Structure formats: C-alpha cells, structure tokens
Amino acid sequence: MKSCSAMESTSCIKFSLMSLIWIIVLMNEIHGYKACLETERTALLEIKSFFISVSDIGYDDEILPSWVGEDDGMPSDCCDDWEGVKCNATTRRVMQLSLNYTERLNYYDGTSASLMNMSLFHPFEELQSLDLSGNGFAGIYENRAYDSFGSLKQLKMLNLGFNYFNDNILPYLNTLTSLTTLILNWNSIEGSRTKQGLANLRYLQVLDLSWNADMTSGSLTRLGRLLR
Ligand SMILES: *[C@@H]1O[C@H](CO)[C@@H](O)[C@H](O)[C@H]1NC(C)=O
Ligand SMILES: *[C@@H]1O[C@H](CO)[C@@H](O)[C@H](O)[C@H]1NC(C)=O
Ligand SMILES: *[C@@H]1O[C@H](CO)[C@@H](O)[C@H](O)[C@H]1NC(C)=O
C-alpha cells in the first residue's frame, strides 16, 4: 500500500489490521446479523433433496427453486428469500414452513404414494406452522418418529390434508400437545382403530376430518363433534 510507506512499518500493519477487522465487523452487521441459522439452512436443503427424491424424474428444477445456496452470486437468506419459509424476526429461526403441493408426480394415485421422513424437521425447534398438504404421503418412516414429533414442541398448526394417511398416523399426532389446528381432510382415516384418538391434544380448537374414508364411528368423530 502506498500510504504505508509514509508511516512506520509497525503502526502501518496495526492500521491495516484494524481496518480489516472493521470491515469484517461491518460485513457481519450487514449479512451475519440477519442471516438464518446455518443448521436450519442445511436442514431446509435436506428437505428439498427429500422432495426431489420422492418426486418423479424431471421435476428437479421445479421443486423449491428459490431454495439455493447463492442466487446469481448474491447470498440467499433462507428467512427472506426462500419461498414458503417464515422466520421469527428476532431469533431468525424458522417459524412457518409451507410445503404444500411440493412433491411432483406424473400420476397422482395411491400406488405412487411415498412416506414422509419426519426426522427432517428435527432441527426446527421454533416451528409453529407446518403445511404438508397435497403431497401424496401414505405414512411416515416410523424409525425414531416419536423423537421427531416430540421435538416439535411449539407446533400449533399442522396441515396434512390431501394425502393418503391412515389411522397409523394418529398415535404420533397425539404427541403434538401444543397443536391448536389439525387439518386431515382428504385422507384415509377411519378413526375407529384407536380408542384414545387425539385425546392428548387439549389445546385443539380446529380439527378438519372431512372427506376421509369412513368416519361413521370411533373416538375421532366424537372428538370432532365436541370441537364443533
Ligand atoms: C419471536 O421470538 C421471540 C423471542 O423468543 C418471542 O418473544 C416472540 O414471541 C417470537 N415471535 C413470534 C411471532 O412468535
Ligand atoms: C400453499 O398454501 C399457501 C397458503 O397456506 C398458499 O398461499 C400457496 O399458494 C399454496 N401453494 C401451493 C403450491 O398450492
Ligand atoms: C430421514 O432423515 C434423516 C435426517 O436427514 C436421515 O438421517 C435419515 O436417513 C432419513 N431416513 C430415511 C428412511 O430416509
């Protein structure tokens, strides 16, 4: 540097170092401060890979296209720039995930139904609202599923509508004790297999069971009636 030759060499190095530190601090103020959590960003990219893996071939570019590491060389913030992701303004942690109609299939019927991996949502401790409707899921990977549901301690809204879930999902849903809204319309739930049903969901205000297989009897119909 030209300005350096005029100064003593040690103070010159000090000056350069200080400038460098200030630049790093400023960059952090501009980017790091507002950025979404790295663990959650990584977890979101895993969710994207999952949806690509369960979709038919040829849809890769249409699945969550805004979920990218960089956008034309510009850093892309998962809180501000990614579709379907909403973060808490203070903590910058993911609060809301809209993954409705994300899986892409050429044919939409029960035979191509896939399983949802709930472990993917493990890192989102502040998640309040999760929409997984319209994805053609027939169930969940049950390995460690109770742990995964158990980590969603703040989940208030869950939409699983327009899938192929049956009564096997109910014991898992019954662990989501902070739920206030549970949408299960257009699935294959009968509500008769389990006596306990969703009795643990004591804050539940809205339960949508419309257009399910055969909801004529069982604890869920009674619970639905109580809520109405
Ligand atoms: C965001 O997080 C802060 C700190 O934990 C909390 O007080 C606030 O209620 C949260 N906001 C929403 C909208 O949940
Ligand atoms: C997903 O749901 C949100 C509202 O919850 C809606 O605005 C959005 O258009 C839906 N996306 C798709 C692909 O249906
Ligand atoms: C589910 O997701 C977790 C976390 O990404 C992963 O470790 C696990 O292998 C997945 N399980 C299946 C069956 O794909």
Side-chain angles (χ1 to χ4, degrees):
M1 269 198 278
K2 242 187 186 158
S3 56
C4 271
S5 58
M7 295 189 217
E8 268 180 58
S9 63
T10 48
S11 54
C12 173
I13 289 166
K14 263 189 202 161
F15 177 76
S16 305
L17 267 177
M18 282 305 287
S19 313
L20 192 66
I21 286 167
W22 271 113
I23 287 166
I24 290 168
V25 168
L26 271 173
M27 293 280 281
N28 262 331
E29 289 287 311
I30 293 163
H31 287 300
Y33 168 67
K34 279 212 128 188
C36 66
L37 226 68
E38 185 57 34
T39 50
E40 294 194 333
R41 208 180 74 91
T42 309
L44 288 171
L45 290 174
E46 271 180 44
I47 290 175
K48 176 175 174 168
S49 303
F50 169 78
F51 274 103
I52 290 174
S53 76
V54 295
S55 295
D56 283 335
I57 291 167
Y59 291 100
D60 296 22
D61 296 339
E62 291 174 36
I63 295 168
L64 304 169
S66 60
W67 293 25
V68 289
E70 304 224 320
D71 191 6
D72 283 335
M74 292 290 288
S76 169
D77 189 326
C78 71
C79 284
D80 299 329
D81 307 323
W82 293 15
E83 62 184 301
V85 180
K86 282 213 177 86
C87 297
N88 179 309
T90 316
T91 63
R92 301 298 286 176
R93 297 204 59 170
V94 174
M95 255 174 64
Q96 193 179 325
L97 276 178
S98 303
L99 294 164
N100 39 333
Y101 297 91
T102 301
E103 181 179 353
R104 296 295 174 89
L105 300 171
N106 296 323
Y107 269 119
Y108 211 71
D109 61 28
T111 58
S112 47
S114 43
L115 297 178
M116 181 66 220
N117 182 357
M118 288 305 293
S119 301
L120 292 166
F121 299 103
H122 216 279
F124 304 101
E125 286 165 18
E126 289 188 22
L127 196 64
Q128 293 182 14
S129 171
L130 176 60
D131 190 343
L132 288 169
S133 60
N135 284 305
F137 294 130
I140 52 172
Y141 288 112
E142 303 209 351
N143 184 27
R144 301 196 67 218
Y146 277 114
D147 288 349
S148 309
F149 278 97
S151 66
L152 298 172
K153 287 190 168 49
Q154 299 198 27
L155 197 68
K156 293 188 172 62
M157 201 291 291
L158 178 62
N159 189 345
L160 297 178
F162 295 88
N163 284 286
Y164 299 98
F165 289 113
N166 59 28
D167 286 18
N168 293 339
I169 190 88
L170 296 176
Y172 298 103
L173 298 180
N174 202 24
T175 65
L176 296 171
T177 50
S178 52
L179 276 190
T180 59
T181 301
L182 177 57
I183 313 290
L184 287 167
N185 59 342
W186 293 94
N187 277 281
S188 305
I189 292 163
E190 294 174 24
S192 51
R193 221 200 78 195
T194 157
K195 273 207 170 71
Q196 200 191 11
L198 300 171
N200 287 350
L201 309 187
R202 56 188 184 281
Y203 299 111
L204 205 60
Q205 289 164 3
V206 176
L207 174 63
D208 187 347
L209 287 163
S210 55
W211 298 103
N212 272 278
D214 179 20
M215 291 294 301
T216 49
S217 64
S219 52
L220 278 184
T221 344
R222 285 198 294 279
L223 181 60
R225 234 174 259 142
L226 278 176
L227 288 164
R228 244 179 256 133

